C-alpha cells in the first residue's frame, strides 16, 4: 500500500514519498509527515543476521513506497559503501555501562553522513521519477556538520547545485576548514554574520519566497532542502536504531523483546525523532532520553510544556547542538496534537510571532516516552575525562553531553535498562575541546598538533577526513549579513532580481 505524506500545517494535498523528498518543505511552511508510521514486517530477531544495507532496505521500503526495489537498493548500495571506514557502517561498542552507537564512520566523520550519503541518490531518483527538468538547488543552513556532509554528498552530482550557509565564528575550526576546502563546481559555501538560528530562519524564508521561486523556475532552477526537515534525511536515520537493537541481540547482550533505552544528543530534534519512529515501528525502545547542552530549550519544554526560544544563544563546545529552534519537534507536536494541523499551525505561528508556545496538558501527557535533561560545559568536559580515564575511550563533545545526561537519567530514575547512546561525531572533529577536557595544558598546541596528540592518547587512527584537510587549499571565501542571503543566492545562480 502506498504511504503518503502531508504537511503538518494543513495544506490538503497528499504527496508521494519521492515528491516530498524532492520538495523538502511543504508549501505552507510545514513539514511532511507520513500518514502513519509503518510497522516492521518481520520479527526484529530476523534483523540480527542482516547487514546494514539489508536493514536499510527493510526499513526504508516501508516509508518510501513509490521507490522501486531496484531504485532503493541502488540508492542504499551507492551510499553505504567504502566511503565508510567499517563494513559494519554503524558499530555498537560497550563502554562503561552503556552501548555507544558510533554514527561517525562516514566521509565527514559526523552522524550527518548516515543520511546525507544517501539523500543525493534519493533526490536524483525522485527528480527522474517526477519528470523534473529543473536543476535542483540544495539550500542548507548548518550548525557545522550538516554543511560538510551535504557538500560531500552533493558535490559534482549532475543536475544539482548546493549552497551552504553557516554561522561565521559559530563552528569549530576543523568544521570550518572541512567546508571551505570543499571541491566541486556546483558547491558554494557562505559564512553569515549571525548564529545558526539566523541561518536556518533565512533559509526557511528563501524557501517560502514565492517571487524567488518564480524567478528560479523561469531560469530552470528549483530549491530543495538537505536539512533534517527533509523526510529523505529522517527515514535513513530510523535504520540505525533498528540495526542497533538487532546488534544487541546478535551480540547476546539482550534477549528478544527486552526493552532498551536510547539517549540522543539533540539539536534540531531529527535524530531523536528517528528513534521515536523506530519505537513506533515496533523496536522495543522504552525511554527516549533527549540530551541538550546549555541551550536547553528542549529540557525546559519537556519539563514545563512551554517551548520558549526567548533566551540568550550560548556558543558551546558542542556547536552542532547550539540551536534554539528545533525544527523537527514540529513533527512531534503535530502528532501529540492528534494530527490536528490547525493546532500545529497555531502553535508554530506563536513561535514565529512571540518566540514561544505552550502545549495543553492533554498533549503533554503524550510525552511520557521522553525524558529531557542537559549538561553544562564543565559537566561535558568532566564526562570526556571520566570515560577516558575509566575505559580509555575518547568521545566527542556532543556524545559527551549525551553520556552525561544518561548518567543523570539513571540517577533520577533508578532505571538501569540497557541503553544505546548515539555517538554523533568523531573526537577528531572537535579535537581542541576534547583534548582540553582531558588536560587544559593541551590548549597551547595548534589544531593539527592536537590531532596527533589525540591519536597517541586514543590509539584510533586519524580519519581520512582530517588527513586530507591538513594541506588542502581554501576554495570558498563568501561572507554575508543575515539579511543578504537572498542577494547572495541570486548572485551565485546568476539571477537578475
Ligand atoms: C547535528 C548533530 C547533532 C544534533 O542532531 P539533531 O538531529 O539536529 O538533533 C548532534 N551531534 C552532532 C555531532 C551533530 O552533527
Amino acid at each position: 500500500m502506498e504511504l503518503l505524506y502531508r504537511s503538518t500545517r494543513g495544506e490538503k494535498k497528499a504527496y508521494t514519498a519521492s515528491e516530498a523528498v524532492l520538495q523538502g518543505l511543504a508549501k505552507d511552511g510545514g513539514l511532511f509527515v507520513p500518514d502513519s508510521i509503518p510497522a516492521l514486517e518481520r520479527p526484529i530477531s530476523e534483523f540480527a543476521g542482516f547487514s546494514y544495507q539489508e536493514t536499510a532496505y527493510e526499513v526504508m521500503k516501508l516509508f518510501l513506497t513509490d521507490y522501486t526495489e531496484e531504485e532503493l537498493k541502488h540508492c542504499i548500495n551507492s551510499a553505504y559503501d567504502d566511503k565508510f571506514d567499517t563494513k559494519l557502517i554503524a558499530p555498537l561498542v560497550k563502554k562503561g555501562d552503556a552501548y555507544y552507537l558510533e554514527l561517525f564512520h562516514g566521509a565527514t566523520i559526523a552522524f550527518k553522513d548516515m543520511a546525507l550519503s544517501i539523500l543525493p541518490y534519493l533526490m536524483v531518483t525522485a527528480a527522474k521519477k517526477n519528470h523534473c527538468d529543473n536543476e535542483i538547488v540544495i539550500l542548507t543552513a548548518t550548525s557545522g556538520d550538516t554543511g560538510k556532509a551535504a557538500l560531500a554528498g552533493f558535490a559534482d552530482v549532475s543536475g544539482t547545485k548546493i549552497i551552504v550557509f553557516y554561522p561565521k565564528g559559530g563552528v569549530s575550526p576543523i568544521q570550518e576548514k572541512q567546508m571551505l576546502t570543499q571541491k566541486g563546481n556546483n558547491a558554494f559555501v557562505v559564512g553569515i554574520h549571525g548564529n545558526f538560528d539566523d541561518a536556518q530562519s533565512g533559509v526557511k524564508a528563501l524557501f517560502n519566497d514565492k517571487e524567488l521561486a518564480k524567478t528560479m523556475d523561469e531560469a530552470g532552477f528549483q530549491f530543495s532542502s538537505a536539512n533534517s526537515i527533509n523526510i529523505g534525511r529522517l527515514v535513513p536515520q530510523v535504520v540505525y536504531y533498528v540495526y542497533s537493537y538487532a546488534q544487541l541481540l546478535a551480540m547476546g547482550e539482550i534477549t528478544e523483546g527486552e526493552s532498551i533505552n536510547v539517549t540522543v544528543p539533540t539539536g534540531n530534534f531529527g535524530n531523536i525523532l528517528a528513534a521515536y519512529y523506530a519505537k513506533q515501528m515496533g523496536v522495543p525502545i522504552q525511554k527516549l532520553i533527549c540530551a541538550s547542552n546549555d541551550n536547553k530549550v528542549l529540557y525546559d519544554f519537556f519539563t514545563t510544556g512551554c517551548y520558549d526560544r526567548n533566551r540568550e544563544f550560548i556558543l558551546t563546545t558542542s556547536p552542532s547542538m547550539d540551536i534554539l529552534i528545533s525544527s523537527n519537534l514540529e513533527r512531534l507536536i503535530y502528532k501529540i496534537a492528534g494530527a490536528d494541523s490547525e493546532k500545529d499551525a497555531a502553535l508554530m505561528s506563536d513561535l514565529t510571532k512571540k518566540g514561544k508556545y505552550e502545549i495543553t496538558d492533554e498533549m503533554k501527557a503524550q510525552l511520557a516516552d521522553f525524558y529531557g535533561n542537559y549538561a553544562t560545559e564543565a559537566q561535558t568536559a568532566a564526562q570526556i575525562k571520566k570515560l577516558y580515564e575509566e575505559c580509555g575511550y575518547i568521545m566527542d563533545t556532543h556524545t559527551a553531553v549525551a553520556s552525561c545526561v544518561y548518567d543523570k537519567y539513571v540517577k533520577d530514575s533508578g532505571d538501569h535498562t540497557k541503553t544505546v547512546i548515539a555517538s554523533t561525531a568523531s573526537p577528531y572533529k572537535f579535537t581542541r575541546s576534547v583534548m582540553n577536557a582531558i588536560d587544559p595544558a593541551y590548549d597551547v598546541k595548534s589544531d593539527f598538533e592536537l590531532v596527533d596528540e589525540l591519536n597517541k592518547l586514543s590509539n584510533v587512527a586519524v580519519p581520512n577526513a582530517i588527513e586530507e584537510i591538513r594541506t588542502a587549499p581554501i576554495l570558498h571565501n563568501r561572507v554575508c549579513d543575515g539579511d543578504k542571503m537572498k542577494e547572495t543566492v541570486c548572485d551565485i545562480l546568476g539571477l537578475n532580481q
Side-chain angles (χ1 to χ4, degrees):
M1 220 186 63
E2 177 134 81
L3 183 62
L4 295 174
Y5 290 77
R6 262 169 245 274
S7 167
T8 48
R9 297 201 193 162
E11 183 191 343
K12 286 289 168 289
K13 184 171 168 331
Y15 291 78
T16 63
S18 68
E19 287 170 339
V21 166
L22 196 56
Q23 197 171 308
L25 198 65
K27 291 209 171 69
D28 58 4
L31 308 191
F32 289 118
V33 281
D35 279 343
S36 62
I37 303 291
L40 290 173
E41 281 175 347
R42 303 163 173 271
I44 188 100
S45 55
E46 282 184 26
F47 285 85
F50 283 3
S51 68
Y52 192 86
Q53 294 81 353
E54 287 165 336
T55 310
Y57 178 68
E58 288 299 319
V59 172
M60 291 177 64
K61 72 174 188 190
L62 303 174
F63 283 98
L64 308 180
T65 52
D66 70 326
Y67 286 71
T68 65
E69 174 171 355
E70 194 191 347
E71 285 168 343
L72 199 50
K73 286 189 170 165
H74 167 73
C75 293
I76 289 168
N77 294 327
S78 309
Y80 304 112
D81 62 5
D82 55 15
K83 289 190 284 300
F84 287 77
D85 66 11
T86 157
K87 280 208 162 36
L88 292 172
I89 307 294
L92 189 65
V93 298
K94 185 171 190 196
K95 300 287 166 189
D97 58 357
Y99 301 84
Y100 289 80
L101 177 63
E102 295 187 347
L103 302 172
F104 55 76
H105 288 274
T108 75
I109 60 175
F111 100 95
K112 303 295 194 291
D113 289 325
M114 301 305 297
L116 282 163
S117 309
I118 194 165
L119 184 68
Y121 295 99
L122 295 175
M123 203 170 275
V124 169
T125 308
K128 273 196 208 123
K129 294 176 85 68
N130 291 287
H131 312 290
C132 161
D133 298 324
N134 282 337
E135 188 166 5
I136 297 163
V137 179
I138 303 294
L139 196 61
T140 290
T142 184
S143 55
D145 289 332
T146 293
K148 179 61 186 185
L151 287 161
F154 281 95
D156 291 326
V157 172
S158 72
T160 71
K161 281 192 169 39
I162 169 153
I163 307 177
V164 169
F165 288 97
Y166 74 96
K168 188 86 192 155
V171 303
S172 86
I174 291 194
Q175 284 179 313
E176 183 171 43
K177 186 143 193 218
Q178 277 190 305
M179 289 192 276
L180 298 185
T181 54
Q182 178 64 46
K183 294 185 199 136
N185 289 331
N186 65 338
F188 303 88
V189 183
V190 186
I192 70 155
H193 301 299
N195 60 38
F196 171 71
D197 286 325
D198 299 325
Q200 177 160 264
S201 305
V203 162
K204 275 195 185 161
L206 290 176
F207 274 117
N208 291 329
D209 188 328
K210 302 234 154 48
E211 197 189 322
L212 180 60
K214 190 162 165 278
T215 319
M216 301 242 318
D217 190 50
E218 283 161 10
F221 294 117
Q222 76 185 56
F223 281 139
S224 190
S225 166
N227 272 91
S228 62
I229 49 173
N230 193 313
I231 58 120
R233 285 263 314 260
L234 195 54
V235 169
Q237 291 177 180
V238 178
V239 173
Y240 48 76
Y241 289 107
V242 178
Y243 184 68
S244 65
Y245 189 89
Q247 278 193 77
L248 284 171
L249 277 178
M251 288 153 65
E253 297 288 333
I254 54 172
T255 54
E256 194 176 347
E258 185 175 337
S259 289
I260 61 165
N261 292 337
V262 168
T263 306
V264 186
T266 298
N268 227 357
F269 210 74
N271 200 359
I272 195 165
L273 187 72
Y276 181 63
Y277 281 10
K279 173 174 172 133
Q280 287 173 323
M281 292 185 89
V283 181
I285 295 172
Q286 206 171 62
K287 276 283 175 195
L288 298 147
I289 300 166
C290 176
S292 301
N293 64 22
D294 276 325
N295 295 292
K296 57 184 182 61
V297 66
L298 287 166
Y299 163 68
D300 292 342
F301 170 70
F302 284 119
T303 358
T304 66
C306 177
Y307 192 96
D308 187 355
R309 64 152 302 191
N310 301 305
R311 63 181 74 203
E312 191 194 343
F313 186 100
I314 301 169
L315 290 177
T316 72
T317 52
S318 45
S320 302
M321 296 158 67
D322 289 346
I323 290 175
L324 294 180
I325 304 176
S326 297
S327 294
N328 268 298
L329 185 66
E330 181 171 349
R331 291 187 161 109
L332 181 63
I333 296 293
Y334 173 81
K335 168 137 204 312
I336 61 173
D340 183 332
S341 54
E342 255 176 61
K343 269 192 203 154
D344 175 81
L347 293 173
M348 294 308 134
S349 158
D350 281 351
L351 183 61
T352 309
K353 292 194 187 115
K354 301 180 211 150
K356 61 176 178 178
Y357 60 80
E358 186 141 16
I359 60 171
T360 61
D361 287 343
E362 207 185 352
M363 288 167 76
K364 205 173 162 211
Q366 294 178 68
L367 294 178
D369 289 341
F370 290 88
Y371 166 90
N373 213 326
Y374 71 103
T376 64
E377 289 290 274
Q379 290 167 341
T380 304
Q383 192 77 7
I384 293 174
K385 191 174 163 83
K386 178 172 152 228
L387 200 67
Y388 169 63
E389 285 174 349
E390 286 172 5
C391 313
Y393 185 66
I394 303 188
M395 59 186 163
D396 100 289
T397 44
H398 303 74
T399 309
V401 167
S403 175
C404 185
V405 165
Y406 169 60
D407 283 358
K408 289 187 184 189
Y409 169 75
V410 173
K411 223 176 190 178
D412 270 8
S413 65
D415 176 10
H416 288 275
T417 301
K418 299 208 171 86
T419 294
V420 168
I421 296 178
S423 177
T424 51
S426 157
Y428 282 102
K429 202 156 189 177
F430 301 95
T431 319
R432 181 168 301 278
S433 305
V434 166
M435 294 304 284
N436 279 349
I438 292 171
D439 185 350
Y442 281 115
D443 205 26
V444 296
K445 295 189 185 280
S446 75
D447 286 320
F448 284 102
E449 281 169 350
L450 288 175
V451 164
D452 295 327
E453 294 294 334
L454 175 54
N455 175 244
K456 277 186 223 153
L457 285 194
S458 66
N459 273 322
V460 172
V462 180
N464 262 342
I466 296 295
E467 284 301 349
E468 67 191 20
I469 59 165
R470 277 187 202 257
T471 52
I474 301 288
L475 301 174
H476 305 267
N477 58 9
R478 274 196 175 82
V479 179
C480 79
D481 286 336
D483 59 0
K484 290 282 183 297
M485 289 167 62
K486 183 171 177 178
E487 286 80 350
T488 305
V489 166
C490 290
D491 181 47
I492 288 170
L493 298 177
L495 301 175
N496 295 323
Q497 294 170 68

